[in-house]
Amino acid sequence: MKRNHVFILCTLIFPLFAFSVKAAENLILENTFLKLEFNADSGALSSMVNKKSGSEYINRASGYPPFVLDVTPANRSWFIKDYSLGEFGGFSLANPESIGLVPGDIQRIRNGSITAGKITSASSGKTLTCTYNIPPSISVITTVTIRDDSPVTIWKIRVRNDPSKQPKEDLRLFRVAFPVIEGLALGKNHADDFLARPFVQGQLIPDPASYSFFTPTNWAKRDNVLTYIGWACMPWQDLYDSGGGLYLASYDPTFQQIDLETFPDKGKESITMDIRTLAPLYPGQSWESQEFAVAVHDGDWHWAADTYREKSSVLLKPVPKPEWVREADGWFGTGVPNYKYEDLPAMYEQAQWLGLNYLQIWSEMLEPVDENGKRKGYYCFFIPDAARGGEQGMREGVRKVRAAGGHIGFYSNAWTFDATLPASLLKYHEQIPSDVKLPDWWKEFRAHSSVYPDGTREAGNYLDGYAGMCVGAEGWQDYLKYWIVDKYVRDYGVDTWYVDSFPVTMFGAARVCFSTEHGSERPHGVGRGCLELLRKLKEGSSGTVNLAITSETVSDALTQYQSHALGLELVGDLMNYPKPEIFAYTFPEFPIFSGTCDNYFGVKDYYPGEKTKFTHEDSLNRVFLIGNRFDVIGYPLQKDSSYWLHVKKLIALRQAIKSELLSSHFKDDIGLESLPSKVEAKIFRNTGGKSLTITLLDRRDKKEPFTLTVDSLKLGVKPLRTAVLYTFDGEKTISLKKAAGGKLILALPARKDNPAAIIIR
């Protein structure tokens, strides 16, 4: 097709050419909080001012409208070949520096002419409406609404894709990037900016305009693009400096798949922030977006987290969760097949020695081996291994743990399958009950597999990789539900379950699936499929047990059905500048278990520049610091080991302050004043304002006495009178003095322990 559209392949860094505009008076939306100026001819955002600080947020206005349409020719193949759709393990491989250098099928259009731009007034504020015509036959309407009493503006976009006069020029819409906010450098100086974004449980990047957006060892290439539901645990990000910040969020109760995108410009003078929504649209159809929030604010990322938490109470509809998970201090178990099912009671006894009542166990299934006896994990056929006791051994082992008051759960991977099935299981036919159906790739399961945008599928086996399944495929959901609910919950008796690589590390699967066999939503993102799978597990187990569901990393959308999640904040080489406090502060009541499963080597990333040799104990100390539960996989443990003695003491320390933690919300470091070098502290506020709990890590070689000052007015607590210090050796009252302005001054004595806690009442 002759491409007679003017379009830009490079949309999220400096434009390739200047936008031609006529001189016109800007369209202005403002209140006491902010002022937005839009070019009357292009609709481009030319200025954004925080009126409280007087700071200008736009360093380089692009001159382009605040949207990008990703389109393809409608009469070509259903599949799309484009470099920007490459991915690895749930990450997009998009490299903005290569845009325009590698040919592809996607046109990125943002050059439509504005036909109308007007501001209308209402009793509570104003709305700017801009209408665009995009050749050959696409129309776009954008609205920006500002209320008189709020720093939050609401943006929406509507796209109508009409048939063109020449059918060969018809376009198919794929995605819409909106709002696209370019040229961002707060106060026109990027060096002091920080970017808070929801990578894993949170990331806080200094000077993002100068950041490479590469993961530490480059194993996932780039992390500019965070998919939600996926590596983005929430659908918002925040850019701020000492003068305030800019908050960008998606408010969508239907959970359309989005990408949160952040790109530095080539000159390292500013960044672009946008949200790209999957919006398949054929000629003759229209699409209307969810609401997007754009706000200026005082302070740092805590303001953004507070704002999103308030909005999420409307967007998220959580179902009741089992209370025992909230009470749990951690889990114990094993990730390898080093046990028989008759060993489960002994494993539980070791958990009790640590102070835990929860077993989390992986590698429970029959795992075929090669000619050398080597096993492959992540297997997709979940029958209990006959060599370790089979179904009856599983039932009996689980029954004994539950009878002793314990909780126990096992494992499945959300994505992996073996395309050689059922052939690879035939040699185990005597170990598999006759009433258990063997999955067959060609007869059924290929139809449930994930299809990449270019039409390819993975079709690996347990020796050379995996066939990637699609969690949006109803047949795959039902297969997982059969094993988890019908077998492990109802038959074997478990009361919790772990879904691995969910929603993040997608073995052989695409973030956007192009299958034509998975329902009417085509193509579809994986996020809604993740939600639907958890709904089926939760509702399917109802009446048998209030199933506790956990997974590999957290997503606020999935917490509607999950009871807890594995934290990845300590995984080595996953991310730079980890800041798990962001999720913990936004959703302080959601339990996260951290410390062991996926390695703990990322603890070094919390102490850049230090040459200290960090240990597993150091990682678990950080788990304690931010109030997470302990993930301590490691059966069988050695009771005389210094490591396991440390774990036991940490759990006891958490239990000593648990009643306060459970009645408090994590407030990060709000109200805490300066600390000695190598001393860290976090604060938890009782929800009724009756107390404060402070966790401490003192990594100094010589732990000398020091004073800790707390600004109680910032935390809004009632008058407090006493302070008790909790350490591995017990508890004791310490000096608490009151100073002007609501300051509390605590005298911390010299001690030998690293982690400690203080409760102020």
PDB file of all heavy atoms in Angstrom, residues 61-73:
ATOM      1  N   ALA A  61       8.823  21.775  24.647  1.00  0.00           N
ATOM      2  CA  ALA A  61       7.528  21.415  24.072  1.00  0.00           C
ATOM      3  C   ALA A  61       7.735  20.823  22.687  1.00  0.00           C
ATOM      4  O   ALA A  61       8.480  21.364  21.870  1.00  0.00           O
ATOM      5  CB  ALA A  61       6.630  22.645  23.992  1.00  0.00           C
ATOM      6  N   SER A  62       7.074  19.710  22.401  1.00  0.00           N
ATOM      7  CA  SER A  62       7.310  19.008  21.138  1.00  0.00           C
ATOM      8  C   SER A  62       6.552  19.626  19.969  1.00  0.00           C
ATOM      9  O   SER A  62       6.967  19.514  18.824  1.00  0.00           O
ATOM     10  CB  SER A  62       6.889  17.544  21.273  1.00  0.00           C
ATOM     11  OG  SER A  62       5.476  17.440  21.327  1.00  0.00           O
ATOM     12  N   GLY A  63       5.407  20.236  20.246  1.00  0.00           N
ATOM     13  CA  GLY A  63       4.559  20.737  19.169  1.00  0.00           C
ATOM     14  C   GLY A  63       3.618  19.708  18.604  1.00  0.00           C
ATOM     15  O   GLY A  63       2.891  19.988  17.646  1.00  0.00           O
ATOM     16  N   TYR A  64       3.582  18.512  19.166  1.00  0.00           N
ATOM     17  CA  TYR A  64       2.723  17.444  18.668  1.00  0.00           C
ATOM     18  C   TYR A  64       1.535  17.235  19.591  1.00  0.00           C
ATOM     19  O   TYR A  64       1.634  17.428  20.805  1.00  0.00           O
ATOM     20  CB  TYR A  64       3.509  16.141  18.546  1.00  0.00           C
ATOM     21  CG  TYR A  64       4.528  16.193  17.452  1.00  0.00           C
ATOM     22  CD1 TYR A  64       5.836  16.598  17.723  1.00  0.00           C
ATOM     23  CD2 TYR A  64       4.182  15.864  16.147  1.00  0.00           C
ATOM     24  CE1 TYR A  64       6.776  16.663  16.706  1.00  0.00           C
ATOM     25  CE2 TYR A  64       5.124  15.933  15.132  1.00  0.00           C
ATOM     26  CZ  TYR A  64       6.414  16.334  15.411  1.00  0.00           C
ATOM     27  OH  TYR A  64       7.332  16.411  14.411  1.00  0.00           O
ATOM     28  N   PRO A  65       0.417  16.809  19.046  1.00  0.00           N
ATOM     29  CA  PRO A  65      -0.733  16.473  19.889  1.00  0.00           C
ATOM     30  C   PRO A  65      -0.351  15.394  20.908  1.00  0.00           C
ATOM     31  O   PRO A  65       0.575  14.601  20.670  1.00  0.00           O
ATOM     32  CB  PRO A  65      -1.765  15.951  18.889  1.00  0.00           C
ATOM     33  CG  PRO A  65      -1.358  16.507  17.569  1.00  0.00           C
ATOM     34  CD  PRO A  65       0.133  16.590  17.607  1.00  0.00           C
ATOM     35  N   PRO A  66      -1.077  15.319  22.012  1.00  0.00           N
ATOM     36  CA  PRO A  66      -0.679  14.401  23.096  1.00  0.00           C
ATOM     37  C   PRO A  66      -1.146  12.968  22.894  1.00  0.00           C
ATOM     38  O   PRO A  66      -1.554  12.307  23.845  1.00  0.00           O
ATOM     39  CB  PRO A  66      -1.342  15.037  24.319  1.00  0.00           C
ATOM     40  CG  PRO A  66      -2.568  15.680  23.773  1.00  0.00           C
ATOM     41  CD  PRO A  66      -2.192  16.189  22.411  1.00  0.00           C
ATOM     42  N   PHE A  67      -1.097  12.488  21.640  1.00  0.00           N
ATOM     43  CA  PHE A  67      -1.486  11.104  21.390  1.00  0.00           C
ATOM     44  C   PHE A  67      -0.646  10.543  20.250  1.00  0.00           C
ATOM     45  O   PHE A  67      -0.087  11.273  19.435  1.00  0.00           O
ATOM     46  CB  PHE A  67      -2.976  10.975  21.054  1.00  0.00           C
ATOM     47  CG  PHE A  67      -3.405  11.702  19.808  1.00  0.00           C
ATOM     48  CD1 PHE A  67      -3.245  11.131  18.545  1.00  0.00           C
ATOM     49  CD2 PHE A  67      -3.983  12.963  19.891  1.00  0.00           C
ATOM     50  CE1 PHE A  67      -3.642  11.796  17.393  1.00  0.00           C
ATOM     51  CE2 PHE A  67      -4.381  13.637  18.741  1.00  0.00           C
ATOM     52  CZ  PHE A  67      -4.205  13.054  17.495  1.00  0.00           C
ATOM     53  N   VAL A  68      -0.574   9.215  20.212  1.00  0.00           N
ATOM     54  CA  VAL A  68       0.041   8.482  19.106  1.00  0.00           C
ATOM     55  C   VAL A  68      -0.892   7.323  18.775  1.00  0.00           C
ATOM     56  O   VAL A  68      -1.319   6.587  19.669  1.00  0.00           O
ATOM     57  CB  VAL A  68       1.430   7.914  19.469  1.00  0.00           C
ATOM     58  CG1 VAL A  68       2.025   7.177  18.264  1.00  0.00           C
ATOM     59  CG2 VAL A  68       2.370   9.009  19.938  1.00  0.00           C
ATOM     60  N   LEU A  69      -1.207   7.161  17.505  1.00  0.00           N
ATOM     61  CA  LEU A  69      -2.007   6.024  17.055  1.00  0.00           C
ATOM     62  C   LEU A  69      -1.079   5.006  16.405  1.00  0.00           C
ATOM     63  O   LEU A  69      -0.392   5.315  15.435  1.00  0.00           O
ATOM     64  CB  LEU A  69      -3.069   6.466  16.045  1.00  0.00           C
ATOM     65  CG  LEU A  69      -4.014   7.601  16.461  1.00  0.00           C
ATOM     66  CD1 LEU A  69      -5.046   7.846  15.362  1.00  0.00           C
ATOM     67  CD2 LEU A  69      -4.692   7.306  17.791  1.00  0.00           C
ATOM     68  N   ASP A  70      -1.056   3.805  16.950  1.00  0.00           N
ATOM     69  CA  ASP A  70      -0.326   2.700  16.326  1.00  0.00           C
ATOM     70  C   ASP A  70      -1.288   1.981  15.391  1.00  0.00           C
ATOM     71  O   ASP A  70      -2.265   1.367  15.847  1.00  0.00           O
ATOM     72  CB  ASP A  70       0.194   1.723  17.377  1.00  0.00           C
ATOM     73  CG  ASP A  70       1.340   2.293  18.193  1.00  0.00           C
ATOM     74  OD1 ASP A  70       1.879   3.340  17.809  1.00  0.00           O
ATOM     75  OD2 ASP A  70       1.685   1.689  19.225  1.00  0.00           O
ATOM     76  N   VAL A  71      -1.058   2.060  14.089  1.00  0.00           N
ATOM     77  CA  VAL A  71      -1.973   1.485  13.108  1.00  0.00           C
ATOM     78  C   VAL A  71      -1.212   0.587  12.145  1.00  0.00           C
ATOM     79  O   VAL A  71       0.009   0.702  11.985  1.00  0.00           O
ATOM     80  CB  VAL A  71      -2.729   2.575  12.319  1.00  0.00           C
ATOM     81  CG1 VAL A  71      -3.499   3.491  13.261  1.00  0.00           C
ATOM     82  CG2 VAL A  71      -1.772   3.389  11.457  1.00  0.00           C
ATOM     83  N   THR A  72      -1.951  -0.288  11.490  1.00  0.00           N
ATOM     84  CA  THR A  72      -1.421  -1.122  10.422  1.00  0.00           C
ATOM     85  C   THR A  72      -2.432  -1.117   9.277  1.00  0.00           C
ATOM     86  O   THR A  72      -3.614  -0.833   9.480  1.00  0.00           O
ATOM     87  CB  THR A  72      -1.205  -2.576  10.888  1.00  0.00           C
ATOM     88  OG1 THR A  72      -2.471  -3.129  11.271  1.00  0.00           O
ATOM     89  CG2 THR A  72      -0.241  -2.638  12.051  1.00  0.00           C
ATOM     90  N   PRO A  73      -2.003  -1.443   8.067  1.00  0.00           N
ATOM     91  CA  PRO A  73      -2.966  -1.565   6.962  1.00  0.00           C
ATOM     92  C   PRO A  73      -4.018  -2.626   7.284  1.00  0.00           C
ATOM     93  O   PRO A  73      -3.689  -3.752   7.661  1.00  0.00           O
ATOM     94  CB  PRO A  73      -2.090  -1.972   5.782  1.00  0.00           C
ATOM     95  CG  PRO A  73      -0.724  -1.455   6.134  1.00  0.00           C
ATOM     96  CD  PRO A  73      -0.604  -1.618   7.617  1.00  0.00           C
TER      97      PRO A  73
END
